[in-house]
Amino acid sequence: MAYDPEIYAAAVKTLAARRAAAQQDAALLREKACAQLPRLKEIDAALAATGTHIAHAILEGGNIDDAIARIQAENERLQAEMAELLQKGGFGVRNFAPLYTCPLCDDTGYHGGNMCTCLSKLLKEQAAARVCKGLSSDPKRFSDLSLSFYDDTPPAERALSPRERMRRIFAYCEQYAAAFSAHAPSLLLRGATGTGKTHVSISPRGGSSVFSRRSISADAAATRWKRCFPATFW
């Protein structure tokens, strides 16, 4: 699903803030732990030099595999010692790596070349928040909707007046809301601006509404809707 650039930017900004906070917390932890246990600072420096040791081993030649194996074994020993010291010090972690909110993507938003579920979730939340922000702060209720707004005279091409059609739609939506559950089917509300779609859609409790201005396949959607509910509201 394509999202507005502003929604995407807001979601990415949230992830960036999470990532920065995790890195800051890790830096503070390192500073505190090393001040309390000086040996941790020595271990941390030795681990940070692992890449340099590997590069020297390659440049020096000889049996590179044996050299790298020795470096790896020493690295693992140092990691184990660090974990033990941190646990004994009551820090509750095994190393100084940042604890990101999303362990899959480290709060970058992408994992394995694809969008991570955390970014997808944030995009949906940002889109929903924008919809809610654009709506009235006053909660909508079925009791607030007045049918007097709708013309009571049937148009020439229809048997029902707009008011009667809305009364039937209104009654159906009330029944839908009363029996709503996690397994309830979705509803498609289609109509011109100002006909009451938003009012009715945010009145049901316990669910969520998706608003769209997309016009593609509108006729096809209406045709399928009529097949499901032949002549009931038309």
Side-chain angles (χ1 to χ4, degrees), residues 60 133 157:
E60 290 175 359
K133 184 177 180 180
E157 69 277 9

Side-chain angles (χ1 to χ4, degrees), residues 63-82:
N63 194 324
I64 297 176
D65 290 339
D66 286 348
I68 292 179
R70 288 194 299 271
I71 294 171
Q72 182 177 358
E74 177 63 9
N75 186 288
E76 292 174 353
R77 185 191 69 78
L78 290 171
Q79 289 185 55
E81 183 181 357
M82 172 180 280

Side-chain angles (χ1 to χ4, degrees), residues 94-202:
R94 294 183 57 83
N95 52 52
F96 297 135
L99 297 177
Y100 296 108
T101 301
C102 180
L104 289 177
C105 71
D106 292 342
D107 294 339
T108 62
Y110 289 86
H111 174 64
N114 298 313
M115 181 182 292
C116 187
T117 54
C118 67
L119 177 54
S120 177
K121 181 180 178 182
L122 276 175
L123 288 170
K124 292 176 183 178
E125 291 175 351
Q126 290 290 342
R130 172 173 290 196
V131 169
C132 292
K133 184 177 180 180
L135 298 175
S136 169
S137 59
D138 297 326
K140 302 297 183 182
R141 298 288 183 269
F142 282 127
S143 58
D144 299 333
L145 191 146
S146 175
L147 294 177
S148 62
F149 170 80
Y150 304 92
D151 191 352
D152 198 25
T153 304
E157 69 277 9
R158 293 182 181 273
L160 300 177
S161 68
R163 184 177 301 178
E164 177 58 22
R165 290 172 58 206
M166 189 60 188
R167 187 192 67 77
R168 297 189 182 192
I169 294 172
F170 186 47
Y172 181 87
C173 289
E174 281 190 303
Q175 295 174 7
Y176 174 85
F180 185 82
S181 70
H183 304 291
S186 299
L187 290 181
L188 169 65
L189 302 179
R190 176 177 176 268
T193 301
T195 53
K197 301 184 302 299
T198 300
H199 190 126
V200 170
S201 66
I202 63 177

Side-chain angles (χ1 to χ4, degrees), residues 23 25-35 37-53 74-86 93-98:
Q23 292 173 346
D25 289 343
L28 292 174
L29 172 64
R30 174 183 278 106
E31 182 179 352
K32 181 179 179 180
C34 289
L37 301 169
R39 171 58 181 159
L40 285 172
K41 187 174 183 178
E42 297 174 0
I43 296 174
D44 193 39
L47 289 172
T50 299
T52 301
H53 295 326
E74 177 63 9
N75 186 288
E76 292 174 353
R77 185 191 69 78
L78 290 171
Q79 289 185 55
E81 183 181 357
M82 172 180 280
E84 183 179 359
L85 288 172
L86 286 169
V93 295
R94 294 183 57 83
N95 52 52
F96 297 135

